[in-house]
Structures are given as structure tokens and as C-alpha cells.
């Protein structure tokens, strides 16, 4: 990929995605130009890219573009970001190139096809205020403010861990940690900590202790239920899988050597196909429920963690995401 086959330059702009600044390029007319250094950085970036040292290559392409905004540097930056797993960043860069390159530029269809190929892989996070949250709640994602226009919109985010905070006057900040897989679509309801009790409300009563499971987290209970449903689904899948195999074996008695069946053989084959389909669906649903249950069981905090020694610390919530585009709604 050439750094630039034409000398057309883009107006440089700030590309922010997932709450992190991807390209911080002031206006090209105000940005000092250094074409020689840009060319050297581009060559160094290409060498690092060929050596699969993506963490070294990507910053070099970015700086090359900042010093001399050439489409080739931006195209290589998008390729580098995709290779190191930042699919949302790469998708945004390819979309920008597809929009800004001239129609006769041979790199425009490349950028268009790369952006289209990444579309389904980009995770999206929708952040909403939880019911009862103050209207003046300040929300940030990875340190970048999330304005009213962004709340409720599915915004693209690079895969991995994303931290979201919610704060309001008179309330402590609360932190939410979301783990996003490629293609995941997550809806997160946020709110700051509840206000502290008034000083004159009297001494705090000791927490009630109930028999046995009083300290269990409700999320952990949901996790056990989900795991139970998953186990049942896998069991159903196994039963119908065995039934499908049995029907196939029974049908062979009514079929010739060329596997041409008649009468009862066709009927048994259809029953085997139906049983096989049910087995596959049951296995998939069971595995998903079992995986979700395991995440909830092992990550849900117990209610006993809210002790007096921990009350002053800002709570931190962790959400497990099922890969493959699972959609979850969570409130902490």
C-alpha cells in the first residue's frame, strides 16, 4: 500500500471512538508539516507491520499522517489497527477513507470493502440512565464524557474492557466495567451511588442475618438458575441426538445400497432429521445458558461485601459478555 499515489491531502480531524482518541490531528493548515519525517515514519511502520509488531507499527503510521496527511498512511493505519484487534477503530478509519477519497482513486473501493467486512465484527455499547437516576448524572466512557445525544445510542467500541462511570452532585461516583467481545451488543443502565444516610437518622442497625443463604447475591442465584437451564438443555440435546442416530440406523433396513429409501425408510429418515435439529438447538441454547450462568456465579459479588470497612470505596461492577453478539441488560 503506497503512502500516497496522489498528493491530495485530507483536512485532519479528531477521530474519537470508544471514549479513546484514535487520531488527534489539528487542522492541517495549522499543523506543522514534515514530509521527510512522515516518509521515514511510514517506512518504519511498514517494516514493523511486516514483522507483525503491530503495537510499534500503528503509532508510526499515526504520526506519519499527522506530520503529512497522506491517504496511504491512513489506509495502513486502518490495516494495522484491524490486525491488532481494534476493529472499531479500523472500521472508522476505512469509512473515513471511503467517504473522502476521490471516486477515481483506486484505494477507495479497498477502503469500502474493508469497512463493509468489519461492520458485523464491531461491538456496540448502548448506555442509558437507570430509572431513578438524577437527570444531571454525568456519564463517562473510558474517561470521555457521554453526552445526552450519545445516551441510548448503540456506539461502536473496540473489543475488550470498557469502564463507564456515573456521578451526580451529592452522590459518589460508581464504576461499571464491561467486557466486550467482537460483534457483541450490550445495553448498560447506569446510575451513581445512592445518597448517604442523613447524619441525624440515628445509629445504624446491624444487618439482619438469616439462616444459611442470607448472604447470597441475587445475581449469583440467577446464575445458578441459568446454569440449571443450560444443563437441562444439554441433556435434552443428548437425548434427541441419540434418537436421531437410532432413527438413521432403523431407516437403513428399508434402504438399498445406494441409500434410496421407500415407505417406512423415508419416514424414519425424516424423524431422524427432526430429532437431529432439536438436538442441535438444545445443545446451543444449553451451552449459552450454562456459560451465562457460570459467568454470573463466578463474578457476582456476595452481599456480605458491603461491610463497614468497604463502604467508603467506590463500588465496581463487572459484566460478563457471552461471545457471538449476545445482548444483555444490566443494572448495578
Amino acid at each position: 500500500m503506497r503512502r500516497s499515489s496522489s498528493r491530495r491531502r485530507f483536512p485532519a480531524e479528531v477521530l474519537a471512538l470508544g471514549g479513546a482518541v484514535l487520531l488527534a490531528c489539528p487542522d492541517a493548515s495549522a499543523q506543522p508539516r514534515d514530509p521527510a519525517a512522515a516518509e521515514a515514519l511510514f517506512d518504519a511502520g511498514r517494516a514493523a507491520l511486516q514483522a507483525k509488531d503491530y503495537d510499534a507499527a500503528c503509532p508510526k503510521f499515526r504520526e506519519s499522517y499527522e506530520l503529512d496527511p497522506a491517504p496511504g498512511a491512513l489506509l495502513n493505519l486502518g490495516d494495522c489497527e484491524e490486525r491488532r484487534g481494534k476493529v472499531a477503530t479500523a472500521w472508522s478509519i476505512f469509512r473515513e477513507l471511503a467517504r473522502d477519497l476521490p471516486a477515481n482513486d483506486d484505494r477507495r473501493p479497498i477502503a469500502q470493502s474493508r469497512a463493509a467486512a468489519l461492520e458485523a465484527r464491531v461491538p456496540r455499547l448502548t448506555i442509558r440512565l437507570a430509572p431513578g437516576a438524577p437527570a444531571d448524572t454525568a456519564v463517562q466512557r473510558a474517561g470521555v464524557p457521554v453526552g445526552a445525544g450519545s445516551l441510548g445510542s448503540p456506539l461502536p467500541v473496540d473489543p475488550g474492557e470498557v469502564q463507564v462511570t456515573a456521578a451526580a452532585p451529592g452522590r459518589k461516583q460508581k464504576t461499571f466495567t464491561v467486557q466486550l467481545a467482537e460483534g457483541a451488543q450490550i445495553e448498560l443502565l447506569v446510575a451513581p451511588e445512592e445518597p448517604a444516610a442523613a447524619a441525624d437518622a440515628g445509629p445504624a442497625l446491624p444487618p439482619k442475618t438469616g439462616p444459611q443463604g442470607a448472604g447470597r447475591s441475587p445475581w449469583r442465584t440467577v446464575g445458578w438458575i441459568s446454569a440449571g437451564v443450560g444443563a437441562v438443555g444439554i441433556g435434552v440435546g443428548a437425548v434427541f441426538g441419540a434418537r436421531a442416530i437410532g432413527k438413521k440406523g432403523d431407516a437403513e433396513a428399508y434402504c438399498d445400497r445406494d441409500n434410496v429409501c421407500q415407505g417406512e425408510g423415508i419416514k424414519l429418515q425424516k424423524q431422524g432429521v427432526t430429532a437431529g435439529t432439536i438436538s442441535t438447538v438444545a445443545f446451543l441454547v444449553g451451552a449459552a445458558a450454562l456459560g451465562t450462568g457460570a459467568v454470573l456465579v463466578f463474578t457476582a459479588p456476595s452481599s456480605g461485601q458491603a461491610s463497614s470497612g468497604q463502604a467508603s470505596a467506590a463500588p465496581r461492577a463487572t459484566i460478563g459478555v457471552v461471545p457471538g453478539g449476545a445482548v444483555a441488560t444490566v443494572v448495578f
Side-chain angles (χ1 to χ4, degrees):
M1 297 179 186
R2 303 182 304 278
R3 199 174 78 86
S4 177
S5 60
S6 66
R7 303 314 298 169
R8 180 179 181 272
R9 295 291 184 264
F10 295 105
E13 56 186 318
V14 175
L15 300 179
L17 182 60
V21 176
L22 305 177
L23 295 175
C25 303
D27 185 85
S29 62
Q31 175 76 3
R33 299 288 185 87
D34 191 344
E39 196 71 32
L41 284 168
F42 179 84
D43 292 340
R46 289 291 300 168
L49 188 66
Q50 291 174 0
K52 299 183 179 181
D53 188 358
Y54 307 128
D55 289 337
C58 293
K60 296 184 187 301
F61 289 130
R62 183 180 296 110
E63 291 183 32
S64 174
Y65 182 75
E66 291 172 359
L67 291 174
D68 190 21
L74 202 57
L75 189 62
N76 277 270
L77 176 59
D79 181 61
C80 184
E81 295 290 11
E82 180 184 354
R83 289 173 185 266
R84 69 171 176 173
K86 294 190 174 184
V87 294
T89 300
W91 173 76
S92 176
I93 292 172
F94 289 134
R95 278 173 56 91
E96 180 194 2
L97 281 165
R99 181 188 67 238
D100 293 339
L101 282 169
N104 61 350
D105 194 307
D106 58 1
R107 292 165 298 190
R108 185 176 184 180
I110 296 175
Q112 290 172 334
S113 63
R114 295 290 292 272
L118 286 172
E119 180 81 28
R121 296 173 57 191
V122 176
R124 285 173 170 78
L125 176 63
T126 302
I127 303 174
R128 303 180 190 273
L129 292 182
D136 57 352
T137 297
V139 180
Q140 291 190 352
R141 184 184 66 182
V144 177
V146 179
S150 297
L151 291 174
S153 298
L155 300 180
V157 184
D158 281 319
E161 182 178 288
V162 178
Q163 287 192 352
V164 180
T165 61
R171 297 196 184 188
K172 291 183 179 179
Q173 175 178 288
K174 190 169 185 178
T175 301
F176 304 79
T177 302
V178 184
Q179 195 73 25
L180 288 159
E182 284 194 9
Q185 298 182 37
I186 300 298
E187 182 175 304
L188 178 66
L189 305 184
V190 301
E193 278 295 287
E194 292 295 328
D200 57 354
L205 297 176
K208 294 181 179 180
T209 57
Q212 298 181 357
R216 289 186 177 178
S217 164
W219 286 104
R220 186 163 295 166
T221 301
V222 172
W224 283 115
I225 294 174
S226 179
V229 172
V232 171
I234 292 175
V236 171
V239 170
F240 276 90
R243 180 181 176 85
I245 295 173
K247 291 294 183 181
K248 180 181 178 181
D250 294 342
E252 290 178 355
Y254 298 92
C255 304
D256 58 23
R257 293 182 178 179
D258 296 326
N259 201 29
V260 176
C261 306
Q262 296 181 355
E264 186 67 18
I266 296 175
K267 179 181 178 182
L268 289 170
Q269 282 186 334
K270 290 182 178 179
Q271 291 175 350
V273 170
T274 300
T277 301
I278 295 174
S279 174
T280 301
V281 173
F283 268 121
L284 291 175
V285 174
L290 189 60
T292 302
V295 169
L296 292 174
V297 168
F298 290 108
T299 62
S302 64
S303 60
Q305 290 178 345
S307 61
S308 58
Q310 296 174 324
S312 59
R316 179 184 176 94
T318 302
I319 305 166
V321 180
V322 179
V327 180
T329 301
V330 289
V331 185
F332 293 86

